[in-house]
Amino acid sequence: MQSERKQIILAGSLLLLMALTTTLRAQQAAPQPQGPLQLSAKQAVDYALANQTTIKNARLDELIQLAKNKEVSGLALPTVTANGAYSYSPVLQKSQIDLHNFDPSAPEGTYQAVAFGLTHNMTGDIKLNQTLFDPSVLVALQARKTLEELVARNVQKSEVDVKVAVYKAYYNVLSANKALTILKGNIATLDKTLSDTRETYKNGLAEKLDVDRLTVQMANLSTEITKLRNLIEVGTAALKFQMGMPMAQTIELTDTLSTEAIAAQTVNVDGFNYDQRIEYQVLQSQKHANEYDLKRYKLKGLPTLSFNASAGSLRGSSQFDYFKNPTWYGYSTLGLNLSVPIFAGFQRKRQVDQAFLALKKTEQNVENLKLSIDLEQSQSASTFRNNLLTLQSQEQNMQLAQEVYTTTQVKYREGVGSSLEMSTAENDLLTAQKNYFDALYNTIVAKIDYMKAYGKL
């Protein structure tokens, strides 16, 4: 009995040891959770430029255009094709012939059905075709560089758009984090005031109304903090989306946002020309592409010339004996093919008209873009300047409201201030802080728009 018990205990110990070993291995194999990824605004933009789907697709379009250009280059190279054919005719087609034409001794009108073909026929040849002159091919070769520039500038435009979106999303979260930090400080101060007022009320030196007022104020601040946390959560998700980052990845923003930093970062806008705006460069490339398109249709009326050559061999037999008696007959041809368009139902003229109008439309878009850039620069400069002044003013107002609140709080604790003064100072401070947060975000967004207007992103 004891022997069986020992065996059971030993088996149980071995099973427990195996289970523990398996658990430890599983824990070691499981991926360890990564910490938050620290990002500055510049790092967030760099991440987006490498991972954002919009930019990836724009770069794929660039590769597609490069592949198309190589395809166009192939139009100027010779084409070589090899062909092979085999046919089997179990019943040969027959033609009637007058035997008198072949044998004068035969009476006229003596007809004989004769099969001229053979039952088995096999051919093989190689053909070469080389374009010598084709205006459409020449224009396509000339337009390759312009089309490459067009897609490359589309990539740059996508990058600028992504930069703007990422910067705005980044600073939205950053300003909300700063607001949350300040409100947490307000709650800590208010919580101490509420605790002191409760003790004073217990000692009969304060009214219950004061305690209730502070409790309501605490609840209001807690609600504002909850709203800010929701805003930060949604804003962070939007930032990750703009960056092309998985939502499961936690991030930590490392930049700071202050009035001094925004005002100190000057933007040099001297010597601006429209080529600094990527949208203008894209339209210029599109204009050049339309010019080549017009040229292509205009030259479509010229003749085309090509060279062709072919060589091959054939064999026919009444029996399938190609491997027993391989007798083949070779042939070769050389030639030139000249094609002269004479009349195509005015289709070429209509194509020229359409290409000409498309070019004129692009030229008008270029002029309209210039006006749009001028307006954008004027508006963004004015908006940034006014928002910066507003931010500086709101920061001073917030500091002044903080000083008033601190002084009123001291007076209230010493019993020389009223609860109405305390409530007014608290509301003024919260209003000044909210105005400062709004002005801070509006100013940094205005600066981003200002930099974009002058092609500095």
Side-chain angles (χ1 to χ4, degrees):
M1 190 72 178
Q2 282 183 335
S3 176
E4 292 180 356
R5 183 178 299 175
K6 288 181 179 179
Q7 291 178 354
I8 293 173
I9 294 173
L10 180 60
S13 300
L14 289 174
L15 289 174
L16 179 60
L17 180 61
M18 292 174 63
L20 290 174
T21 303
T22 304
T23 302
L24 289 174
R25 289 179 177 176
Q27 291 178 351
Q28 292 175 355
Q32 298 298 323
Q34 296 181 353
L37 179 62
Q38 295 186 338
L39 291 173
S40 65
K42 177 68 167 55
Q43 290 172 331
V45 167
D46 290 341
Y47 185 97
L49 295 180
N51 297 276
Q52 230 284 341
T53 303
T54 302
I55 296 179
K56 287 182 177 179
N57 287 338
R59 288 173 178 160
L60 288 176
D61 289 337
E62 185 177 16
L63 294 177
I64 290 173
Q65 185 59 53
L66 293 176
K68 287 183 178 179
N69 283 350
K70 293 181 180 179
E71 179 183 359
V72 170
S73 300
L75 296 176
L77 299 177
T79 58
V80 180
T81 57
N83 300 291
Y86 166 76
S87 64
Y88 169 65
S89 303
V91 178
L92 294 175
Q93 182 179 357
K94 296 182 179 180
S95 300
Q96 284 187 329
I97 63 172
D98 190 346
L99 294 180
H100 178 76
N101 295 330
F102 298 91
D103 185 2
S105 62
E108 291 187 4
T110 305
Y111 298 104
Q112 177 68 41
V114 179
F116 290 98
L118 295 173
T119 305
H120 301 274
N121 293 276
M122 185 177 292
T123 61
D125 60 20
I126 296 179
K127 296 180 179 180
L128 179 143
N129 187 279
Q130 171 65 60
T131 299
L132 299 179
F133 177 76
D134 190 337
S136 61
V137 174
L138 294 178
V139 175
L141 293 174
Q142 294 172 358
R144 288 177 300 171
K145 183 178 180 181
T146 297
L147 296 176
E148 290 177 7
E149 288 179 353
L150 179 60
V151 292
R153 287 171 176 174
N154 280 328
V155 173
Q156 296 175 16
K157 183 180 182 301
S158 298
E159 290 177 348
V160 170
D161 293 339
V162 167
K163 285 181 181 180
V164 171
V166 171
Y167 275 129
K168 289 184 178 180
Y170 185 95
Y171 288 117
N172 179 43
V173 177
L174 203 61
S175 61
N177 278 328
K178 185 170 184 177
L180 181 62
T181 301
I182 294 178
L183 284 184
K184 284 182 178 179
N186 291 345
I187 278 197
T189 302
L190 187 62
D191 184 61
K192 185 177 185 308
T193 302
L194 177 59
S195 178
D196 294 342
T197 305
R198 282 173 177 166
E199 291 297 324
T200 305
Y201 171 71
K202 290 179 181 179
N203 296 330
L205 300 178
E207 298 181 0
K208 185 176 183 300
L209 179 63
D210 296 333
V211 176
D212 292 342
R213 180 185 60 79
L214 291 174
T215 302
V216 171
Q217 189 71 21
M218 178 69 76
N220 290 337
L221 277 180
S222 299
T223 301
E224 291 299 321
I225 284 184
T226 300
K227 290 180 180 178
L228 270 177
R229 284 175 175 164
N230 290 336
L231 177 62
I232 291 172
E233 183 178 354
V234 174
T236 302
L239 174 60
K240 292 178 183 178
F241 172 77
Q242 297 295 346
M243 294 168 57
M245 175 180 286
M247 293 296 168
Q249 174 66 54
T250 57
I251 59 175
E252 181 180 335
L253 310 187
T254 60
D255 277 6
T256 57
L257 196 59
S258 65
T259 305
E260 295 78 9
I262 296 175
Q265 297 173 356
T266 59
V267 181
N268 184 13
V269 296
D270 296 334
F272 172 81
N273 61 70
Y274 296 109
D275 283 331
Q276 292 176 295
R277 286 291 297 267
I278 187 61
E279 297 90 341
Y280 184 82
Q281 297 177 29
V282 169
L283 270 183
Q284 287 292 340
S285 296
Q286 184 62 57
K287 177 186 173 183
H288 294 155
N290 289 344
E291 290 173 347
Y292 280 117
D293 205 29
L294 176 60
K295 182 179 179 181
R296 177 169 65 93
Y297 286 122
K298 284 184 175 180
L299 297 180
K300 199 174 181 181
L302 296 179
T304 60
L305 180 64
S306 62
F307 167 77
N308 56 77
S310 64
S313 60
L314 57 86
R315 182 173 187 270
S317 176
S318 59
Q319 296 180 353
F320 193 84
D321 58 353
Y322 292 97
F323 302 104
K324 296 180 180 179
N325 185 20
T327 302
W328 293 81
Y329 302 93
Y331 63 90
S332 62
T333 58
L334 300 174
L336 292 174
N337 182 28
L338 177 65
S339 176
V340 181
I342 298 176
F343 180 72
F346 300 107
Q347 294 301 309
R348 186 181 65 83
K349 185 178 184 307
R350 303 296 175 252
Q351 291 171 339
V352 170
D353 292 342
Q354 294 176 46
F356 176 77
L357 295 175
L359 176 59
K360 288 300 178 183
K361 183 178 178 181
T362 305
E363 290 175 349
Q364 292 181 1
N365 289 338
V366 170
E367 296 303 319
N368 184 68
L369 180 61
K370 289 181 180 180
L371 297 175
S372 177
I373 291 174
D374 293 340
L375 176 62
E376 186 179 348
Q377 289 178 348
S378 177
Q379 290 179 337
S380 62
S382 176
T383 302
F384 175 57
R385 181 173 58 253
N386 293 333
N387 281 350
L388 183 58
L389 292 175
T390 301
L391 175 61
Q392 293 169 343
S393 175
Q394 291 300 333
E395 185 177 29
Q396 293 174 358
N397 288 342
M398 184 180 67
Q399 293 172 353
L400 182 59
Q402 182 66 54
E403 293 174 0
V404 171
Y405 175 74
T406 303
T407 303
T408 304
Q409 192 178 41
V410 172
K411 289 173 62 179
Y412 180 76
R413 288 176 180 174
E414 293 177 352
V416 295
S418 65
S419 61
L420 178 60
E421 292 177 341
M422 190 67 184
S423 177
T424 301
E426 290 170 353
N427 291 331
D428 289 345
L429 177 60
L430 290 176
T431 301
Q433 289 174 343
K434 182 180 183 303
N435 292 339
Y436 171 73
F437 300 146
D438 292 340
L440 185 65
Y441 178 68
N442 290 337
T443 304
I444 190 63
V445 168
K447 185 169 185 178
I448 293 170
D449 292 335
Y450 177 66
M451 295 175 66
K452 177 179 179 292
Y454 283 91
K456 299 299 181 179
L457 281 181

